[in-house]
Every structure is written in structure tokens, then in C-alpha cells.
Amino acid sequence: MAHLKGKSKLFFSLIVLASTIKQAQANSKIVFENSLFKESITNQQQLQGKVVDSGGKPVVGVTIAVKGTSKSTQSDASGNFSLEAKSGEVLVATSIGYKTKEVPVTGSNVSIRMEEDQSQLDEVVVVGYGTQKLKEVTSSVAHVSADQFRQSGARNPLDLIQGKVAGLQVSRSGSNPNSGVATQLRGAISVTGSASPLFVIDGIPGGNPDLLQQDDIESVDVLKDGSGAAIYGTSANAGVILITTKRGKPGKAKFNYSNYFRKEYVYNRPDFLTPQEFRDKIASGEIKQPDLGHSTDFFDDLINKDNFSQNHNLSMSGGNESTTYRGSVNFRNLEGIAKENSRKEYTVRTSINQKGFNDRLNVLLNMATNTNNANLLGGGGWESEVTKNPTLSNFNDDGSYRYDRTSTNEFARLFTETSYRKQQTSSLDGKADLHIMEGLKASVFGSVQRNSYIDGAYRALDSEASLEDQDYPGGGYASKSNLLNERYAFEPTLQYNTKIADKHGLTALAGYSYRYEKEEGQSADNRGFINDNFHEDNLSEGQALRDGRANMDSYKNDNTLIAFFGRINYTFSDKYMAQFILRREGSSKFGANNKWGSFPAVSVGWNISNEDFMKDVDFINNLKLRAGYGETGNTGFANNASRLTLGGGGKYLFPDETYRETYGPDRNPNPNLRWETKKETNIGIDFTMFNNKLSGAIDVFQRKTVDLLDTYTTPQPPYIRDNIYSNVGTLSSKGIELALSYRAIDHDNFKWNMDFTASTLKNVLDTYSNDVFTVKYKTFGSIGGAGALGDAFTTYEGQRVGQFFGKRFAGFDDDGKWLFYNRQGEAVRNDVINNSRDDLNSSDLTVLGNAVPKYYVSWTNNFSYKNFDLRIFMRGKFDYDILNTTALSYGNKVWSGNLLRDAFTKYKDIDDTYMYSDYYLESGSHLKIDEVTVGYRFKLKNESWINNLRAYLTVQNLATITGYSGNDPDFVLDAGLGNEVNGQSLGIDSRGPYPNTRSFLFGLNFSF
């Protein structure tokens, strides 16, 4: 053919082509006819394989798919997999942190060696309105993936990351399934404004954590400093927590089922006298109380010994290159350690991702809904019950409940009253990304959230509350209320990224944000029901309504927030990075003269390890220095706070002898009201060392919140009311944070890695006055209980937050009366102590201690041996004080009920009334073994229909090492300034906390 030319060559080629086509058709016919009966045995086979890393060690969880088909599987704990494939087909292996690997099928066995892909690892950090490569991040961001979550049955997503993020404090008041958490990032940032971080769930600003179940969460990212959080403006003062849920992946359909079952036991109950010990003290004359002939453990009667909580989650996911989906159904029934205290809920979550327009368009839709039925009746009354005379009984001699007007029979209340909440929470969000051209992408995001609930309560005719009611004795009481909250968000963005001369990287983001929120509700109650037939479902039948003495209320309010924002990221030669953010935001909450605010941020980074002078430094794999400054705001205050509002002034008799409601202004207007502003500087270092075995970050920060919001006293006139909500004070904090990860041992059969976090903090109330309003100090932390002892904290301008302020204990005199030190250091009786707070030059009061822990530490150890795994998680708080109010009230024999055992040992010298001083301050330092989990991953046969099966046992709150004599110091609030949060105050150990528990949890996870 080499000698043929022109048309001859063309003619010969056509003859050859025609002959080839004819032969192919003949062969095709034979294959087609055979395929009607069976596949070619030589092409179809069950492939066995193993996935290893560059060092030859097995890699678990790698997805292996047959290219161009929906067939896929995952490697097990030993790296093995089994997959049906044909000779000549291509296997595609993918896994986060490794380069995609393609391997042709040439036999019945295959080995796939994966190579680490640093660039893929860098793409896991979620930031505002997008993601960033880790090596290009210039702000302080903490990332917690699902495999790092706590495994103790989370009620709230923040439970999953407690102790996992340096500088983030998550505090619970106990194990009550219906209680929330108190959260603080890098210290207190407000006096009266919101102290809660902004939740962004799959892009939804202000997302509802109640819609999240732990098995649906992929990762949690925390924007810790202002240089990263400024993109969210006035919502970000307390930090931003971005939660990403799990998504479907291309491949064959996959089902995952997980569950856990939990049993709780009381741990560290208050140390009061038993009935027999109380009776013995009466006999010896140490207690001057009557022996009423019974032996009752009132505390124990409130305990739900049959508590049993369970959680079940089933998810399904899959799809192809164009469409992926994931859906999950969750049932959770949480029973508290208290009787009549539970939470039963159902959650459904779906996600679908569709590509189109030649893969230039990507549309993501998410929907979630949660139905919650909460029994709110139990969970209280602990102080009342544990301090009663234990020789009393809950019953009369005839078997009826015993009531008296000096206390409440909390046990009887559980069987004669009801209190519940029926709640429905839903969200719908969608995002469309359109790649307009190379490097240019337009996105549109929208979301709707709806939260509604109905609260109902009833007190039966034979309840103590009804029988002792003075207006309608023996008549039932009923109440009902409802709330509806709706939130809407619309956020279009435009993003452009490009590379110039292979050294300059530029990414620009511009966007608009619109948020609208409205809330409305109503409540009503009535008394004097003559039977228990209707409970709270027929409120009009109560006599109080007919007498005009029932109560009814309703409200409605809304607010709007709009913003324009932009961000520019620049990189040069993978060595130098810079980020610039500006958000311009307006809110209807602000005063007429301050509707708009600007929130700028700038941060820079330097990848030192990429410099030429670091090439010979073998023990450092990566070293990055970063620094940033940013401003954020806080609009977490009431709607209409800046406006003149009207309120009812009461009913009065008019000249026509008719009673009419009067109205008048109930708030001073403040047209200058604006947001609180936090200004923050952060310097940090990220590093990996010793062949990537050790990695971590160190951050040093300093922040200042200006224009603090609070209520100040105003003169009348010219003001209408005697107080006004205004911006005045300044609050600051500074600290150091450390996060480390270390792969100590990495052998084939045995691995040990650990995570360690630590932080230190100093919080100061810099000023609380200006030219108009002068306030020398603020008091916080009501001590409560007997004695009307006031507040535990007095925070002066320029002093640290959380300072206990009061009298210094100097001993007791011969009569057991209190002695305290005066300012000259002399021990004197209480009646000569100068209690002035206004004149410190003459006052005998002083700083006694501080309730804010100076150091926080957590340490996670993960071990694995063959198919076994073990996790030990410890955390602690150090160098701080707790006010033991249980000892203050019930370690003093002046109390007429049951007493602490310490009243006759540690506090036996007291023969005087209740006093607040440093006598009751104790060190709260403690180390808690918070979680121990033992798991086993079953080795399954290749033909098993179950891909992965793991069982585990978790013990939570195993032990607390501390010298503190009160309740669990970990449940004493360590956040805020001393204002009450969820029934707690900073540093004050309440007298009747929800019981501390130790729980045992068994769980099972498998996929098929």
C-alpha cells in the first residue's frame, strides 16, 4: 500500500474498511445471539483486590468503581475489596487525601497502590460562602471531621465537638435531654447581647441545630477570629460555626444504619444525711427537729431508674456522575434520669444534587424536618426534695399525697400535673451554581426555615397547686401557648478565580444577602375547672375567665437585614497569601441614625516551608505564618429596641364608671442605637513535622468589643421612661490557643494517634461609662437561697470578668460567730464590716477569686489493634474558683431541714446566720475522663451483603479528678459575665442542679 497514490490509495482503503465492517457485523451477531443465553465466561469474573498506601499499608474506606458503570464498593479495615468486573474494564479508586487511581482489569486479583494527594487534603476547610485550600487559609479556622466526634449520644451538634476546638467552651447544666448548651468562643463578648455563635448549616445563616442528627453531619468548621468571620458581619461577634451535612456520592446505592442504646446512672449525688443519720442526729441533740416517723429518700423518689434512651438512623445514598442523592430517617427517644422528663423526636433529611447544561450547571436541594415531643414536667425540684426532713413522707396515712404550704410535694406533682411541648421544625434550601466561563461562577442560594411549637400544661383538681390556690381552691388550672418563627434568606454571589503567569492566584467573591425573620405567638391560661376531663384543651370552661381573671397575651414582631459583601484572596507562588473582606450591612433593628455599618477584615499568610532556605530542613514538612485583623458585629437584641413603643398601663375607672385599659410609652426611643463591634487581631502558626507525624496550630489573639449594649438610668424629664437601651461600654479578651495531632505509632496491626488542645484566657471589662452615662461597676451572679445575699460578682471598670467580690473569712469567735478581715487586716465581727462598693478606699470588701478558668485542656487518644479500636477522651479546666452555694445554705445548721454531712465536720464551727465570703469559695480545677469507647470492626466475607459492621461500647463521664467538694464542677457554668443562662450563673454551683450521671452506651453501625 505504500506504493499506491492518490485515488488508487483511497479506493483500496475503502475496500479494506468495507471488509472490516462486514466482518464486525458477523462477529457482533454471534456475540448477540450468545448473550441471549449467557455472558461470555472469559469476560465476566469476581475480582479480589487490596488497596494499600505508598508504604504498603492497607487503606480503609477507598471507593473502587468500574469506570463507566454504576458498580462500586469500598475497601474494608484490611484494605480488601471484592467487585464484579470484566477483563479489560478499568477500576477507578478514589479517597479523600489520595490521588485518583485508574487500574485496568487483567486478571482475577489486583493490587491498588494509592498516592497521597496534598492538594486534595487542602480542600477540606469550609469558610464563609465557600471553601479554601488549607495551605491558603490565612485566618484562624478549626476543622472537626466526623471521625473525631464524641460518641456519647449527642443531643446538640455542639456536644459532638466539646473539647475538640481550642478556645471554644461548651457547657451543659446536666444530662437533661431538653436542656440546651451555653457556648462561648474566646471569652465573653457582650453584657446583654447575644453570646451564641452564628450557625451556618449547609449555607443557611442562622440554621437550626435541632434539625441535625449526629449521623448526618460530615464536618464542623469554626471561624474563630474576626479576619474570617467578618464575611458574616453583625451576626458573627460570637464566632461562626459552619456545619456541613453528608452528601451522596456517585456509585451504586449504599445504605447505612446506625443506632445506640444508652442507660444512665446517678453519679456524685449531693452528700446529705440519710433518714437514719438524720434520726441519730436528732437523738444526739445535734439537730433540733422532730422525728416524724418515716424514712424517705426524697431525691431518689424523683429518679427514673428505668431510663433507657435509643437512637436509630437509616440513610441511603448513591447516584451517577450527573445526579447524586442522600436521604435519612432518624428516630430518637431520650429519657432523662428524672421521672417525667423525656424527648421523643423524628427527623427526615433529604439531599439531591443534579448537574446539567454540559456539567456547567449544578443544583443542590436540601430539605429537613423534625418533629419533637418533649415531656417538660420533670427535671426540677431537686433542691426542695433533698433538703426536706427525711423523716417526712410523700403520703398521708390514708395513702393520699401529703401537702403543706411550706414546700411543694415534687413527687406528687409528677402524677397530678402535665407539661409538654409539641414542636415542628423544618428547613428547605437550594443552591444553583452556573459556570459562565473559565474561572467565572455565579451562584444563587435561598432558604426557608419554619419553627413552631405548642406548649400545654394542666394541674389537676387534686394537685397541690390547685388545692392551695387562694382564688379557686380545688379548681384545676390549664394553660396553652404557641409560637411561630419563620426565617428567609436569599444570597446571590459571583466568584471569579484565575491564575496569572503560573505564580499569581486570584479569587474574588462578591455577593448580596437578604434575611427576613418574623415571630409571633400567643398564650392563655385559666383556673377554676370543676373536673379534669378537658385538661388544657377547653380553656374557656374555667371559672376565672367568666370572672374576668384569666390571662391572655399575644405578640408579633419582625426584622430585616440586608448586606453587600466581597472577598479577595491572592496567592503568589504558593508562598505568600492575602485576604481582604468587606461587608456593608443594614438592619431594621438599628436606630434611625445608624442603619448601616461596615465590617472590614484583612489577613496575610506566609508558607515558610516553600522558601528555598527551608529545603534542607528535613524535619519540617509544612510551616505557615498567618496574621489577621477583622471587625464583626452583634445585633442579638430585641426587635424595636431603638423605637418608641406603646404598652398597657393597666385598667382604670373612667368618669363614665367603666374600666378601660390605658396605653402609654413603655420604652425610650434611641435613634443612635447601633450594633456592638468586636475588633480582633490574630497571629497564628500552622505546622506539620517529622514526616507528617506531628501537626498543629498555635494562635495568639487580642479582641475588643466596643459599644456594648445595656440599659442605663435616665432622668425624667427629659426622658419619658427612667431607662434607655444604649451603646456605652468596652469589653476585651486575649489568649493563646494550641492544637496538636500526633501519630505516635503507625504499624500494620497497631496504631496510636492523639489530639491535644489547650487554651488560656484573660477577659476584662475595660469601661462601662461615657460622657452621658457613668457606671463604676456592674454586679452579676445572684447567690439566691436564704439570707438575701445579693450578687457574687462585682466587676469594676478595668478589672477582669468573673471576679468574686466580698468579705474575707477570718475565722469564728468562741460563740461560733463569723469573723472577717477589715481593710487593716484585723479580724472583726460582721456588724462592723464596711460593705461599700462605691468607695473602695474605705470598703472592707475585696476581690476573692475568679470564676473563669485560666486554662482549658483536652486530650484524645485513639488506639487500634487489628479490628479493635479504643478511644480515651479527657478534658479539664484549671486555675479558677467555684462558689459552693449548697454548702453555704445547707452546711449551716441554722437550716431547718436535711443537712449536708459536712455540716457536722467541715462546717461544724458555724453557729451564725448565712454569710457570703471566700469561706465557700473552692478551687474548681478538675480533669475528667469524659469518654472511653471500645469498638470492634467485624471481618466480613467478601460475598457478604454487609459491607461494613462495627459495634462499640462507650462509657461517658467515667471519672472526675478534683478537690472540689460540691457537685460536678464541669456542670458549673464557665461562660459569660455572670448573667443567668439556662438556670446557671458563671462560677456559681447551684443548690439543686439536674443530677450528674454516668452513662453506658452500646452502638452498632453497618452499611450494605
Side-chain angles (χ1 to χ4, degrees):
M1 185 175 174
H3 301 287
L4 297 177
K5 298 182 181 180
K7 294 182 180 181
S8 299
K9 184 176 181 180
L10 175 61
F11 179 76
F12 184 84
S13 299
L14 290 175
I15 293 175
V16 174
L17 178 61
S19 176
T20 303
I21 293 175
K22 184 176 180 179
Q23 182 63 42
Q25 288 175 338
N27 292 339
S28 181
K29 181 179 180 181
I30 295 172
V31 172
F32 176 76
E33 290 173 349
N34 288 338
S35 68
L36 293 176
F37 302 96
K38 60 181 180 179
E39 292 187 5
S40 174
I41 297 177
T42 59
N43 288 339
Q44 189 67 32
Q45 59 184 331
Q46 190 69 21
L47 184 69
Q48 306 296 323
K50 185 169 186 176
V51 184
V52 296
D53 61 16
S54 56
K57 297 173 183 176
V59 183
V60 63
V62 177
T63 299
I64 303 98
V66 179
K67 190 172 184 178
T69 73
S70 61
K71 298 177 184 178
S72 68
T73 187
Q74 284 191 329
S75 60
D76 61 19
S78 300
N80 297 320
F81 69 92
S82 176
L83 185 65
E84 192 177 82
K86 298 177 182 179
S87 179
E89 289 185 320
V90 177
L91 301 182
V92 181
T94 57
S95 181
I96 294 177
Y98 295 91
K99 294 180 180 179
T100 299
K101 188 83 169 183
E102 293 192 2
V103 179
V105 178
T106 58
S108 60
N109 290 281
V110 64
S111 178
I112 301 176
R113 184 176 295 271
M114 304 292 287
E115 297 179 17
E116 291 187 1
D117 184 359
Q118 186 65 36
S119 63
Q120 210 169 6
L121 283 171
D122 290 343
E123 295 174 356
V124 297
V125 179
V126 180
V127 295
Y129 303 99
T131 60
Q132 271 188 296
K133 293 181 180 180
L134 185 61
K135 65 182 180 181
E136 295 177 355
V137 171
T138 54
S139 57
S140 182
V141 181
H143 176 81
V144 185
S145 57
D147 60 350
Q148 297 173 292
F149 292 163
R150 296 177 61 191
Q151 299 184 29
S152 49
R155 157 69 185 91
N156 183 288
L158 290 182
D159 290 332
L160 298 170
I161 62 172
Q162 186 179 24
K164 304 292 185 179
V165 177
L168 177 68
Q169 284 81 55
V170 179
S171 301
R172 269 202 176 278
S173 58
S175 58
N176 189 331
N178 293 308
S179 69
V181 295
T183 310
Q184 180 174 279
L185 180 64
R186 294 184 164 182
I189 49 90
S190 183
V191 177
T192 62
S194 173
S196 176
L198 171 69
F199 284 91
V200 180
I201 302 173
D202 290 333
I204 302 176
N208 192 332
D210 282 340
L211 285 167
L212 294 167
Q213 306 300 328
Q214 65 182 55
D215 295 299
D216 291 331
I217 301 176
E218 180 72 29
S219 64
V220 178
D221 293 272
V222 182
L223 306 184
K224 296 165 64 174
D225 72 339
S227 66
I231 196 74
Y232 288 105
T234 59
S235 306
N237 247 23
V240 182
I241 297 178
L242 303 111
I243 299 177
T244 304
T245 60
K246 294 178 179 178
R247 297 277 183 266
K249 298 178 181 178
K252 73 174 185 178
K254 183 177 181 180
F255 294 82
N256 288 278
Y257 170 73
S258 61
N259 64 34
Y260 68 74
F261 303 91
R262 181 173 61 203
K263 180 73 175 177
E264 296 184 77
Y265 299 90
V266 175
Y267 175 63
N268 189 30
R269 65 169 283 176
D271 195 19
F272 281 75
L273 298 175
T274 66
Q276 186 57 49
E277 289 171 338
F278 190 86
R279 188 171 284 112
D280 292 341
K281 297 293 184 185
I282 293 175
S284 67
E286 295 176 87
I287 293 180
K288 296 178 174 58
Q289 295 295 323
D291 182 348
L292 300 171
H294 299 278
S295 294
T296 308
D297 189 339
F298 291 101
F299 182 92
D300 192 65
D301 282 348
L302 299 184
I303 298 297
N304 176 17
K305 299 182 180 64
D306 297 324
N307 73 87
F308 185 72
S309 298
Q310 56 184 307
N311 178 81
H312 303 270
N313 197 90
L314 175 65
S315 67
M316 53 185 178
S317 62
N320 52 42
E321 296 299 326
S322 298
T323 306
T324 57
Y325 65 89
R326 186 180 187 275
S328 66
V329 179
N330 180 274
F331 167 71
R332 182 165 60 172
N333 185 17
L334 306 179
E335 294 186 352
I337 195 68
K339 292 177 178 176
E340 300 300 320
N341 176 221
S342 61
R343 183 183 184 91
K344 183 182 292 184
E345 56 187 326
Y346 309 84
T347 303
V348 176
R349 176 175 288 274
T350 61
S351 171
I352 184 168
N353 195 94
Q354 177 69 53
K355 293 182 179 180
F357 199 39
N358 294 327
D359 290 344
R360 292 171 63 185
L361 176 66
N362 189 80
V363 178
L364 174 64
L365 295 175
N366 297 301
M367 184 183 72
T369 186
N370 172 277
T371 300
N372 160 42
N373 294 312
N375 187 348
L376 305 176
L377 183 64
W382 304 103
E383 179 185 4
S384 167
E385 297 304 276
V386 78
T387 60
K388 283 181 179 176
N389 182 329
T391 66
L392 280 168
S393 173
N394 278 320
F395 301 93
N396 297 314
D397 292 339
D398 61 1
S400 60
Y401 293 120
R402 184 193 65 82
Y403 298 138
D404 64 63
R405 292 188 177 272
T406 61
S407 65
T408 299
N409 188 331
E410 296 289 347
F411 178 79
R413 191 178 68 84
L414 299 178
F415 303 98
T416 58
E417 299 182 17
T418 60
S419 179
Y420 64 82
R421 171 168 292 179
K422 299 177 181 179
Q423 187 172 14
Q424 177 75 43
T425 307
S426 302
S427 73
L428 173 66
D429 69 271
K431 184 180 182 183
D433 297 327
L434 177 63
H435 292 268
I436 302 172
M437 55 180 289
E438 182 67 29
L440 182 62
K441 180 179 71 173
S443 302
V444 177
F445 174 85
S447 65
V448 178
Q449 297 182 87
R450 191 177 192 273
N451 178 32
S452 64
Y453 61 74
I454 296 175
D455 287 349
Y458 185 73
R459 301 170 189 169
L461 273 63
D462 64 345
S463 69
E464 186 171 9
S466 295
L467 291 173
E468 295 180 357
D469 182 69
Q470 296 180 355
D471 296 323
Y472 299 94
Y477 166 87
S479 68
K480 211 162 190 177
S481 62
N482 60 61
L483 172 141
L484 173 62
N485 177 276
E486 294 178 312
R487 295 182 177 183
Y488 304 87
F490 175 69
E491 296 184 326
T493 57
L494 193 64
Q495 180 173 303
Y496 177 72
N497 62 79
T498 186
K499 194 85 170 179
I500 304 172
D502 293 330
K503 288 188 175 183
H504 305 273
L506 181 67
T507 300
L509 172 76
Y512 167 79
S513 178
Y514 170 84
R515 298 186 216 166
Y516 175 70
E517 178 182 9
K518 63 178 179 179
E519 184 173 285
E520 56 187 296
Q522 60 184 16
S523 62
D525 64 76
N526 200 0
R527 292 180 179 274
F529 293 88
I530 62 174
N531 61 58
D532 295 327
N533 293 336
F534 300 112
H535 288 204
E536 68 282 354
D537 296 324
N538 198 352
L539 284 180
S540 62
E541 293 303 308
Q543 184 61 38
L545 179 63
R546 299 186 179 97
D547 296 341
R549 304 177 69 178
N551 297 307
M552 183 178 294
D553 186 33
S554 65
Y555 66 93
K556 182 177 181 179
N557 55 68
D558 66 351
N559 69 82
T560 303
L561 183 149
I562 60 175
F564 302 90
F565 58 88
R567 179 176 60 211
I568 296 176
N569 292 89
Y570 171 75
T571 63
F572 175 72
S573 194
D574 286 336
K575 296 179 182 179
Y576 314 108
M577 297 83 66
Q579 176 175 270
F580 306 91
I581 293 174
L582 178 63
R583 184 176 177 109
R584 178 72 173 164
E585 193 166 81
S587 172
S588 62
K589 288 186 176 183
F590 303 155
N593 298 334
N594 285 302
K595 285 297 183 185
W596 289 86
S598 297
F599 302 93
V602 59
S603 56
V604 294
W606 177 23
N607 277 322
I608 303 174
S609 53
N610 288 349
E611 296 288 354
D612 292 339
F613 61 79
M614 293 291 293
K615 289 182 178 179
D616 295 330
V617 185
D618 296 332
F619 69 93
I620 294 179
N621 304 106
N622 178 67
L623 181 62
K624 179 175 66 178
L625 176 66
R626 47 185 167 74
Y629 170 84
E631 297 183 6
T632 54
N634 188 354
T635 56
F637 52 88
N639 295 326
N640 302 312
S642 67
R643 298 170 178 167
L644 175 67
T645 55
L646 297 178
K651 293 181 179 179
Y652 292 90
L653 183 65
F654 276 59
D656 60 358
E657 298 185 353
T658 301
Y659 281 92
R660 291 191 176 92
E661 179 67 56
T662 60
Y663 294 90
D666 62 0
R667 190 199 308 269
N668 282 322
N670 184 359
N672 296 316
L673 191 72
R674 58 189 177 276
W675 56 96
E676 297 177 338
T677 300
K678 185 187 69 185
K679 304 177 180 181
E680 182 171 11
T681 301
N682 190 98
I683 299 174
I685 298 175
D686 300 325
F687 57 88
T688 56
M689 305 171 67
F690 311 121
N691 197 25
N692 295 314
K693 293 186 69 174
L694 176 65
S695 62
I698 302 173
D699 282 277
V700 180
F701 69 89
Q702 182 170 357
R703 54 168 50 170
K704 179 173 289 189
T705 305
V706 300
D707 296 331
L708 291 177
L709 289 161
D710 202 356
T711 302
Y712 290 84
T713 302
T714 53
Q716 295 176 277
Y719 290 94
I720 303 171
R721 308 293 294 185
D722 61 357
N723 60 76
I724 191 171
Y725 199 52
S726 187
N727 304 86
V728 176
T730 302
L731 185 66
S732 66
S733 63
K734 59 183 178 181
I736 303 172
E737 298 164 353
L738 171 66
L740 296 174
S741 294
Y742 181 59
R743 291 186 294 142
I745 300 175
D746 192 8
H747 297 321
D748 289 343
N749 291 329
F750 180 69
K751 301 179 187 296
W752 173 26
N753 61 73
M754 65 181 74
D755 297 312
F756 177 82
T757 68
S759 62
T760 182
L761 176 71
K762 181 179 180 181
N763 224 165
V764 175
L765 182 66
D766 297 307
T767 62
Y768 216 72
S769 304
N770 62 12
D771 296 338
V772 179
F773 304 105
T774 301
V775 178
K776 290 183 178 180
Y777 60 86
K778 289 281 291 185
T779 65
F780 304 95
S782 174
I783 298 170
L789 299 176
D791 292 341
F793 305 107
T794 302
T795 306
Y796 286 88
E797 289 187 319
Q799 298 298 311
R800 295 182 64 172
V801 168
Q803 288 188 158
F804 289 105
F805 193 83
K807 294 171 286 194
R808 293 176 296 151
F809 173 69
F812 299 98
D813 65 12
D814 295 337
D815 298 323
K817 305 304 179 184
W818 294 98
L819 295 175
F820 301 106
Y821 289 111
N822 62 19
R823 60 187 176 280
Q824 282 81 31
E826 303 165 337
V828 299
R829 296 277 289 267
N830 180 62
D831 56 357
V832 298
I833 286 290
N834 186 320
N835 292 291
S836 173
R837 285 176 171 78
D838 295 313
D839 185 4
L840 293 182
N841 292 323
S842 61
S843 177
D844 293 324
L845 307 182
T846 188
V847 175
L848 306 176
N850 198 286
V852 178
K854 191 173 182 180
Y855 306 103
Y856 291 86
V857 172
S858 74
W859 185 24
T860 306
N861 286 275
N862 293 295
F863 304 90
S864 66
Y865 176 70
K866 294 186 176 179
N867 289 1
F868 287 94
D869 59 84
L870 170 66
R871 172 183 291 183
I872 302 174
F873 173 52
M874 296 179 286
R875 57 187 177 85
K877 309 171 189 175
F878 302 96
D879 197 2
Y880 73 111
D881 302 296
I882 295 176
L883 176 61
N884 190 340
T885 61
T886 304
L888 189 156
S889 293
Y890 306 114
N892 190 331
K893 292 185 289 292
V894 73
W895 170 246
S896 59
N898 201 358
L899 292 162
L900 289 167
R901 287 194 178 94
D902 283 347
F904 304 93
T905 55
K906 183 178 180 179
Y907 308 117
K908 62 182 175 57
D909 296 328
I910 304 174
D911 189 13
D912 203 347
T913 187
Y914 306 102
M915 287 286 174
Y916 161 57
S917 73
D918 57 354
Y919 182 68
Y920 294 109
L921 285 184
E922 301 180 40
S923 171
S925 297
H926 67 274
L927 178 66
K928 181 182 287 290
I929 304 176
D930 198 30
E931 177 193 317
V932 176
T933 297
V934 180
Y936 181 78
R937 193 177 301 275
F938 291 86
K939 190 173 183 179
L940 305 172
K941 295 181 179 179
N942 291 329
E943 64 269 17
S944 173
W945 60 276
I946 298 178
N947 297 329
N948 181 44
L949 176 61
R950 178 178 179 267
Y952 65 94
L953 176 67
T954 294
V955 182
Q956 185 182 8
N957 197 18
L958 180 62
T960 302
I961 304 168
T962 183
Y964 181 65
S965 65
N967 301 299
D968 190 334
D970 186 52
F971 285 151
V972 177
L973 186 65
D974 59 340
L977 296 168
N979 298 316
E980 189 170 292
V981 180
N982 297 327
Q984 296 176 283
S985 292
L986 170 69
I988 298 178
D989 187 356
S990 59
R991 294 169 297 279
Y994 195 93
N996 185 18
T997 64
R998 176 183 289 150
S999 66
F1000 296 84
L1001 183 147
F1002 174 76
L1004 191 67
N1005 302 323
F1006 69 86
S1007 59
F1008 54 94

